[in-house]
Amino acid sequence: MTATKPRTTLPRWLLGPATDEVRREQAVAAAFLRVLLGLMWLYNVAWKRPPDFGQDTDSGLYHFTSYAVSHPVFPPYSWVVEELVLPNIVIFGWGVLIVETALAVLLLTGAWVRVAAALGVLQSLAIGLSVAYGPHEWPWAYWLMIGAHVAVLFSSAGRVFALDAVRAGTGSARTLGRIWGAIALITGVVGVILSAGDPLNPRGEALGSADPSLSLGEYNVIGGLVLVLAGGLLLLSALSGKALAGRVAAVVAAAAAATLYIQVGFGDPLLGGNATSAAFLLTVALVAAVAGRAPGRASPRE
C-alpha cells in the first residue's frame, strides 16, 4: 500500500523556504528579480516620514495617497481612503512604513520569500489603486510591480543568495554572512569618507542617487562607523565561525535602526540617516542574527 503524501496547506507553503529545485540559471534569475524588488522598496521607504507623513504640508505619503480621491481608480477604494485612511494618516503611515521596510528586508535577504512576495502583490495593488491615474503616473508601472511579485511568489527566488536556502539546509549562512558583511563594511567606509567634511550632519551623506532611484541610505561619520562595526563583526563571524561576533553585529545594527526610527521626523538623527538607512541596518541585522546562530552551516557544495 502506497502512502499518500500529505497536502501542503497555504500557510505552510507561504512560510516554507522558496527553494524548489530548478536549474541554476533559473534560480539566479529569480534571485536577481527578488533583490531588484528589494532595492525598489528600500529606496522608497525614505519618503514615508513621520510624524504626520506629509499631512500638514500636503506632501509625501499623504499627498500621493490623496490621489485615490482626486484621481480615483476604483471608487469604492477611493471612499475607503477618503473616509478611513486620510483622517487616520498617522496610523496608516506607520503601517505603510512597517510593511515596506519588511518588504525591503525580506526580499533583500531572501527570508520568507513567499510571504514577502505575497505582501508585495497586495502593497503594489494598494499603491496602484491610489496613484495609477494621478498626474505624471504610468499605470503600467503598477501592473508590472504586481506581476514581478507574482513571478517571485511562484519561483525558487530563495534558492540563491538567500536566508531561505539556509533555512532549507541548501545554503551557507557563512557565505551569506561574508557577502553581507563585506557590503555593510564597504558601505560604512564610503559613508565615513563622504561625510568627513561635515561629520555630524544630521542628514548625512546619501549613498545613492535619485536619478536611478537606488540608495543604501544616508549616513554621517557616526552612522558610517556603526555600519563598519556591524559589517566587520558580521564578516568576522562568517570567516571565523565565531557565533558571538554575529550576535553582537545583529544587536549593533538593530539598535542603530531603532535609534533612527525614534529620531527621524522627530529630531536630528544621531547617525545622520533616514528610513532607508534603518531598513538597510535591519537587513544587516537579520543576516547577522542567522550567521550568529548557525555560522558553521554550509551548503552541500561547500
Side-chain angles (χ1 to χ4, degrees):
M1 185 175 180
T2 304
T4 58
K5 187 177 180 180
R7 293 179 62 184
T8 301
T9 62
L10 179 60
R12 188 182 183 90
W13 178 77
L14 282 173
L15 292 169
T19 55
D20 295 341
E21 189 170 353
V22 294
R23 293 173 59 179
R24 177 73 176 177
E25 54 269 31
Q26 289 178 300
V28 170
F32 174 77
L33 179 59
R34 166 177 60 79
V35 171
L36 203 63
L37 289 171
L39 289 171
M40 178 192 74
W41 294 114
L42 183 68
Y43 177 82
N44 282 285
V45 294
W47 54 271
K48 280 77 175 183
R49 288 181 62 86
D52 69 348
F53 297 92
Q55 184 174 20
D56 286 348
T57 57
D58 190 25
S59 61
L61 182 63
Y62 183 88
H63 175 75
F64 286 105
T65 304
S66 69
Y67 280 179
V69 178
S70 59
H71 301 82
V73 175
F74 182 56
Y77 182 80
S78 301
W79 181 89
V80 171
V81 170
E82 184 174 19
E83 299 297 327
L84 300 177
V85 174
L86 292 178
N88 300 287
I89 191 63
V90 173
I91 297 173
F92 170 75
W94 276 106
V96 170
L97 181 57
I98 291 169
V99 167
E100 295 192 4
T101 297
L103 283 167
V105 172
L106 296 180
L107 289 169
L108 287 173
T109 61
W112 293 278
V113 169
R114 291 176 184 144
V115 172
L119 188 60
V121 170
L122 296 176
Q123 185 67 2
S124 299
L125 178 61
I127 294 171
L129 289 174
S130 295
V131 304
Y133 290 175
H136 313 297
E137 295 289 341
W138 185 47
W140 265 105
Y142 306 102
W143 286 115
L144 291 171
M145 282 172 61
I146 293 169
H149 285 92
V150 169
V152 170
L153 177 62
F154 293 102
S155 73
S156 292
R159 192 171 178 84
V160 175
F161 186 51
L163 289 176
D164 266 11
V166 177
R167 292 171 57 212
T170 60
S172 168
R174 292 181 67 173
T175 298
L176 206 58
R178 287 195 291 268
I179 295 171
W180 276 106
I183 291 172
L185 183 61
I186 293 169
T187 301
V189 169
V190 172
V192 169
I193 294 172
L194 291 179
S195 60
D198 190 2
L200 299 181
N201 184 351
R203 181 169 181 177
E205 292 294 328
L207 272 64
S209 171
D211 290 333
S213 297
L214 290 172
S215 175
L216 296 181
E218 299 173 352
Y219 308 90
N220 59 21
V221 165
I222 298 175
L225 289 174
V226 168
L227 262 180
V228 169
L229 176 60
L233 287 169
L234 175 53
L235 202 54
L236 174 64
S237 175
L239 291 172
S240 67
K242 295 183 182 298
L244 180 60
R247 296 189 186 108
V248 174
V251 171
V252 168
T259 65
L260 285 173
Y261 286 122
I262 292 170
Q263 294 178 317
V264 170
F266 300 95
D268 293 336
L270 178 65
L271 307 181
N274 56 15
T276 293
S277 311
F280 182 71
L281 284 161
L282 288 177
T283 300
V284 175
L286 181 56
V287 175
V290 173
R293 186 183 62 188
R297 181 178 294 178
S299 70
R301 297 182 181 180
E302 293 188 332

